[in-house]
Amino acid sequence: MSRRLVGTLVILVGALWLVGVGIAAMSIRHEIDEVFDSALQETAQRLLPLALDDLDSHDDEEAPERELADPFPMEEHEEYLLYQVRDARGRVLLRSHDAPVIAFPVPLSRGYFEDNGRRYFTEESANGQLFIQVAEVAEERQEAVAALWMGLIAPLLGLLPISAIAVDWMVRRATQPITKVQSQIAKRGGENLDPIDPYGLPLELMPIIQDMNRLLQRLEAALDAERSFAANSAHELRNPIAAARAQAEIVAEVLRDTPDEVRARQLVDTLGRLSKQIEKMLQLARAEAGLGYARPETDLVQVARLLVNDYSQRPKLVDRLRFDAGDEDSVIVGIDPDALGIALQNLIDNALAHGAPDTPIMIAVGPGAIVSVVNEGPAVSASELPALTKPFERGDARRAPGAGLGLSIVKQLMRQADARLELFSPARGKDSGFEAILIFPRVHARLDLKG
């Protein structure tokens, strides 16, 4: 909008300048014509008495035409006005040194005449026997008009860029409140629905700001209700489902070595998957509430090691998870520890669910503020990778258990923390497998002071 406005104003200024130049040029052209015509007439009237005196001193009508004698010698010069003195029969009696020998192609009658772009004025003597005709050089008047146009248009060529810069500055200054509102609106989203601050904005924008703030309030209320419902529902269901699973495990033990044991074990597995899905819903609710926006200093190595140790307590995962911090004793990143824990937990769960059974899973920190989770297994096609971070996307559903929320939650938390989630399949440096990497900005070094 600013560019269009600047362009329109510059074109308008240039057009108005040209219109003004045209009007001024026509007015000045009229004045120039009057000045040149007056000069022709004045010259004719001044020279006629001199010509009569010169002819009276040479009373010989048959004498050839001659130039009017100069009262004192003068250097050769370019004449802008030419003249001829003619008698009633049209013979040229006197002429200026640049005037042609042949008579001017204009009638012998007093007044102005034009021929081939040249302007003439004829003046006659009192007895009507002699005529003086004064002509201007054909290009002189056109050169004067051209110089006039150049004098009026040349400033436009210099001032138009300056006008463009001035107009651009004024437009930017005038539209600065709109840019401010645009910047505030761009910062609004699912995690930030604060009202737009109207301070310092012009009155013309107030109705828009008020309507936008009312819309943000309604949207925030709707999102809060949705998040509250999801979180409360998941929280209320988690304990009963956990209790139901415990009871189902007891029933399965009671029914051991009976035909109904299989069904009891299926019920335990179903309740376990339902419990995990509820846990994912709680994590999603916390992520949508903006958990990742908090920026306390968190030790990436410590959180990753705690999670690996926690998973290693499970009998089936004792030797499956491998942790490697390299030379990094401590890596401090700006993210809430719960958000970091949720992100790493989802990456590990994703590796356990989709990796090849009984193959090691490598969790590595560094170099720098980076943590990666690598699992073995068939590679995922490059076309599928971008879709894996969308909610409820699980790749090949036949071999992909879960609700498809894990990587979506991780991506949302990383975006809130100004970090990145990158996926590779096959894993870097391998022909197969899957690798997920969390890359954090702003690394702080923690120094251990001894002594």
Side-chain angles (χ1 to χ4, degrees):
M1 184 180 69
S2 297
R3 292 181 180 178
R4 290 197 300 270
L5 184 58
V6 170
T8 301
L9 289 176
V10 171
I11 292 174
L12 181 61
V13 168
L16 291 177
W17 183 290
L18 290 177
V19 171
V21 166
I23 295 174
M26 287 188 293
S27 177
I28 297 176
R29 171 62 186 270
H30 177 72
E31 297 297 327
I32 288 176
D33 288 339
E34 288 186 350
V35 170
F36 273 79
D37 288 347
S38 177
L40 285 175
Q41 183 177 357
E42 185 72 17
T43 301
Q45 292 175 350
R46 295 276 186 177
L47 289 177
L48 183 58
L50 298 176
L52 291 175
D53 289 342
D54 185 71
L55 290 174
D56 288 341
S57 63
H58 302 83
D59 190 11
D60 185 0
E61 295 184 358
E62 299 299 329
E65 69 277 1
R66 60 190 181 280
E67 297 182 6
L68 185 62
D70 294 329
F72 50 86
M74 300 181 65
E75 295 181 358
E76 290 290 330
H77 63 280
E78 182 181 358
E79 289 186 336
Y80 296 103
L81 293 177
L82 311 176
Y83 67 85
Q84 291 180 348
V85 178
R86 299 167 62 185
D87 59 15
R89 288 181 294 177
R91 294 184 307 166
V92 177
L93 305 179
L94 294 174
R95 64 183 177 86
S96 59
H97 69 273
D98 283 345
V101 175
I102 302 173
F104 291 143
V106 293
L108 293 175
S109 59
R110 187 178 188 277
Y112 294 98
F113 301 94
E114 284 191 11
D115 182 71
N116 292 329
R118 177 175 286 183
R119 187 82 165 166
Y120 299 86
F121 181 77
T122 302
E123 186 66 74
E124 62 180 322
S125 62
N127 59 10
Q129 297 302 311
L130 292 177
F131 298 87
I132 185 169
Q133 293 179 323
V134 182
E136 65 183 24
V137 177
E139 298 82 7
E140 187 64 22
R141 190 172 301 206
Q142 286 75 9
E143 290 179 359
V145 174
L148 166 67
W149 277 101
M150 288 302 299
L152 293 174
I153 295 178
L156 176 62
L157 302 178
L159 291 177
L160 199 58
I162 298 176
S163 300
I165 296 173
V167 170
D168 181 71
W169 179 80
M170 289 186 292
V171 168
R172 290 181 183 276
R173 184 176 179 85
T175 57
Q176 189 174 5
I178 300 177
T179 305
K180 181 180 178 181
V181 173
Q182 179 186 3
S183 176
Q184 292 197 48
I185 293 176
K187 296 178 182 178
R188 300 305 185 267
E191 295 82 12
N192 181 15
L193 295 174
D194 296 335
I196 297 174
D197 185 10
Y199 178 76
L201 298 179
L203 295 177
E204 291 80 1
L205 292 178
M206 289 304 173
I208 299 176
I209 301 302
Q210 293 172 357
D211 292 340
M212 181 63 69
N213 285 339
R214 283 194 290 266
L215 177 61
L216 290 174
Q217 289 176 356
R218 292 196 296 267
L219 182 59
E220 184 177 20
L223 289 176
D224 286 344
E226 180 182 352
R227 292 167 180 167
S228 178
F229 174 77
N232 291 335
S233 299
H235 182 74
E236 293 297 329
L237 289 173
R238 183 170 57 178
N239 291 336
I241 290 177
R245 184 183 180 186
Q247 294 296 325
E249 290 177 347
I250 294 175
V251 172
E253 288 296 326
V254 172
L255 297 177
R256 181 187 294 272
D257 300 328
T258 66
D260 295 325
E261 181 183 4
V262 175
R263 293 184 178 179
R265 294 298 177 186
Q266 290 177 346
L267 178 60
V268 171
D269 293 340
T270 301
L271 290 173
R273 289 194 297 271
L274 182 58
S275 177
K276 290 182 178 180
Q277 289 181 358
I278 291 174
E279 182 180 1
K280 297 298 181 187
M281 291 177 62
L282 284 172
Q283 292 178 356
L284 179 62
R286 296 187 68 186
E288 291 182 343
L291 177 63
Y293 284 110
R295 302 293 173 82
E297 291 188 353
T298 302
D299 190 342
L300 184 58
V301 175
Q302 182 180 3
V303 173
R305 181 178 284 114
L306 287 174
L307 275 175
V308 172
N309 291 337
D310 181 65
Y311 275 91
S312 298
Q313 301 300 318
R314 304 177 189 180
K316 296 182 180 180
L317 303 178
V318 173
D319 297 324
R320 191 172 178 188
L321 269 65
R322 313 285 175 82
F323 179 68
D324 180 16
D327 297 331
E328 305 287 354
D329 294 331
S330 177
V331 176
I332 306 302
V333 294
I335 187 174
D336 185 88
D338 288 342
L340 178 58
I342 290 174
L344 285 175
Q345 180 184 348
N346 277 282
L347 294 184
I348 295 173
D349 288 343
N350 187 73
L352 291 172
H354 303 288
D358 300 326
T359 57
I361 296 174
M362 177 63 67
I363 297 93
V365 177
I370 296 175
V371 59
S372 62
V373 179
V374 182
N375 62 268
E376 301 293 338
V380 179
S381 65
S383 60
E384 289 185 66
L385 282 177
L388 295 180
T389 57
K390 297 179 181 179
F392 307 106
E393 289 287 342
R394 297 180 296 162
D396 188 353
R398 293 173 298 177
R399 60 178 178 84
L405 291 174
L407 292 180
S408 174
I409 294 172
V410 175
K411 182 178 180 180
Q412 187 169 4
L413 290 172
M414 291 301 100
R415 184 177 66 249
Q416 294 173 1
D418 289 335
R420 300 198 316 273
L421 166 65
E422 294 186 359
L423 305 178
F424 298 91
S425 186
R428 294 180 300 173
K430 297 185 178 181
D431 297 329
S432 62
F434 187 89
E435 182 175 7
I437 304 176
L438 303 182
I439 303 175
F440 295 88
R442 294 191 298 273
V443 179
H444 303 281
R446 174 178 291 176
L447 300 178
D448 294 328
L449 300 180
K450 298 181 180 180

